[in-house]
Amino acid sequence: EDPSKPVVEGILRESDRLGELLSEFEADFAPTTPETAIVTLDASFPAPYSPTPLLSGSQLPNSPPVLEPVLVAEILEPLLLSQQAIAQERQIQLTAVVPLDLPPVRANASALREVFSNLIDNALKYTPSGGTVLIKAGLSRTADAKSWQGIAIEDTGYGIPESDGEHIFERHYRGVQAAGKIAGSGLGLAIVKDLVERMQGEIILISPNNLGGKLPGTTFTVWLPLL
């Protein structure tokens, strides 16, 4: 009954998500060459500390994600619970419109969780206090003889200049934000685009999004094929 329980549960879910992602990295980059020797040290002999080098943005796992039926609502619900606490702290109104009867999309649950987590985190990061972040699921379109489901993450934040828009999905590119006070690596959107395309989907950027705020605002829409 502790009021902090939903926040703690959200932190644990995020921890599990990052653990899954790291496991995928480790599996893809595990040494498999016959020249690699496996050495077992005696338990009484302390092994020297050898930090694992961090992966760069160009070292994403190359194995294609396993695609299966995924319900968007089941992916978004736990993310929204954990992000709601951040939104309240920053005095941002976080709202979600997610119909519960949406048909499943053809995707990968872990990859989709990473995509939405990055996009919602960015929306909260680049929206000032008093702003709004809106997640709308259930958009639909037909293209290339396929039916698609869209999920839009909209904000009333600082927006992305047109000059940055064509480069925003490039690794390490931050554009005008590089000169700002908000920290970032310039990798999040590159990872998002890579994961969406591996799921045979598409991501579209609109900025300004004309939501009526004082700032330009940004909308990212992820389109995924229906089963």
Side-chain angles (χ1 to χ4, degrees), residues 54 65 77 87 110 114 124 213:
L54 294 174
E77 183 180 5
S110 295
E114 185 67 21
L124 293 172

Side-chain angles (χ1 to χ4, degrees), residues 69-143:
V70 175
L71 293 173
V72 168
E74 292 183 356
I75 301 296
L76 284 174
E77 183 180 5
L79 292 178
L80 291 170
L81 284 173
S82 58
Q83 296 285 12
Q84 192 64 250
I86 298 174
Q88 290 176 357
E89 182 184 357
R90 298 178 182 175
Q91 299 180 338
I92 297 172
Q93 181 180 350
L94 175 60
T95 306
V97 180
V98 185
L100 298 179
D101 58 349
L102 291 178
V105 295
R106 188 168 179 265
N108 177 275
S110 295
L112 197 55
R113 197 176 298 118
E114 185 67 21
V115 166
F116 290 149
S117 179
N118 265 289
L119 292 177
I120 297 172
D121 183 66
N122 271 2
L124 293 172
K125 185 188 297 183
Y126 293 104
T127 299
S129 296
T132 300
V133 173
L134 174 62
I135 292 92
K136 293 192 300 187
L139 308 179
S140 62
R141 75 174 189 185
T142 302

Side-chain angles (χ1 to χ4, degrees), residues 40 49 53 66 75 96 106 130-131 144 151 207:
T40 303
Y49 173 67
V66 176
I75 301 296
R106 188 168 179 265
D144 302 325
I151 304 91
S207 185

Side-chain angles (χ1 to χ4, degrees), residues 12 26 30 38 46 51 55 60-61 74 84 89 127 148 152 167 175 177 183 215-216:
L12 292 174
E26 291 171 354
I38 299 176
L55 297 173
L60 284 170
E74 292 183 356
Q84 192 64 250
E89 182 184 357
T127 299
W148 300 77
H167 302 289
Q177 298 297 345
L215 297 172

